[in-house]
Structure formats: structure tokens, C-alpha cells
Amino acid sequence: MVYLDDVLIFLKIYEEHVKYVKRVLQALKDHSLSVKIEKCEFYKTEVKFLRYIISREGIRMDPEKIKAVLD
């Protein structure tokens, strides 16, 4: 998934995930694009992205973002 300058790679199977990470990094290199390593996160089981939490269980809204509405 790509959104503006963010790239997310998520797969349920670890070995497939590693293949896709390598493919994406190679594609970036092939097109002379770079990443800021300090902004990169690798092999996470859960990430917050655009007010959502993406994990192995699926995609759900970030409870912190809906707390104001609930309160």
C-alpha cells in the first residue's frame, strides 16, 4: 500500500513478507529513490497508519482517534 510518501507492506506469511520487502527496496533503488532509515519500521506485527491500526487480525480504527467522539 502506498500513500503519498509512505509505503506499507503487510502479509500474513513471514517468508512472503521478506520477499516483498526486498522487492520494494530494490524497486526504489532501481528508480534512484531513497528512504530515511530512521523513519523505517521493519517486521512489526502492528502499525498505526492514517487513524487505523493494521495487524494480523485485520484493519481497525485507532481507539485514540475515536475517543473524542465517544466522549
Side-chain angles (χ1 to χ4, degrees), residues 39-51:
K39 294 176 103 181
C40 295
E41 297 183 57
F42 293 98
Y43 310 111
K44 296 286 193 170
T45 56
E46 182 174 283
V47 294
K48 290 183 180 182
F49 184 69
L50 297 176
R51 298 184 181 158

Side-chain angles (χ1 to χ4, degrees), residues 22-67:
K22 288 179 181 180
R23 278 184 172 172
V24 169
L25 291 174
Q26 186 61 52
L28 291 169
K29 182 179 177 183
D30 292 348
H31 292 88
S32 300
L33 298 171
S34 61
V35 296
K36 290 185 178 182
I37 195 69
E38 64 272 6
K39 294 176 103 181
C40 295
E41 297 183 57
F42 293 98
Y43 310 111
K44 296 286 193 170
T45 56
E46 182 174 283
V47 294
K48 290 183 180 182
F49 184 69
L50 297 176
R51 298 184 181 158
Y52 292 94
I53 297 175
I54 302 169
S55 71
R56 288 184 176 172
E57 288 76 41
I59 300 173
R60 65 187 190 279
M61 293 194 73
D62 183 348
E64 292 178 14
K65 301 300 179 188
I66 59 173
K67 186 178 182 315

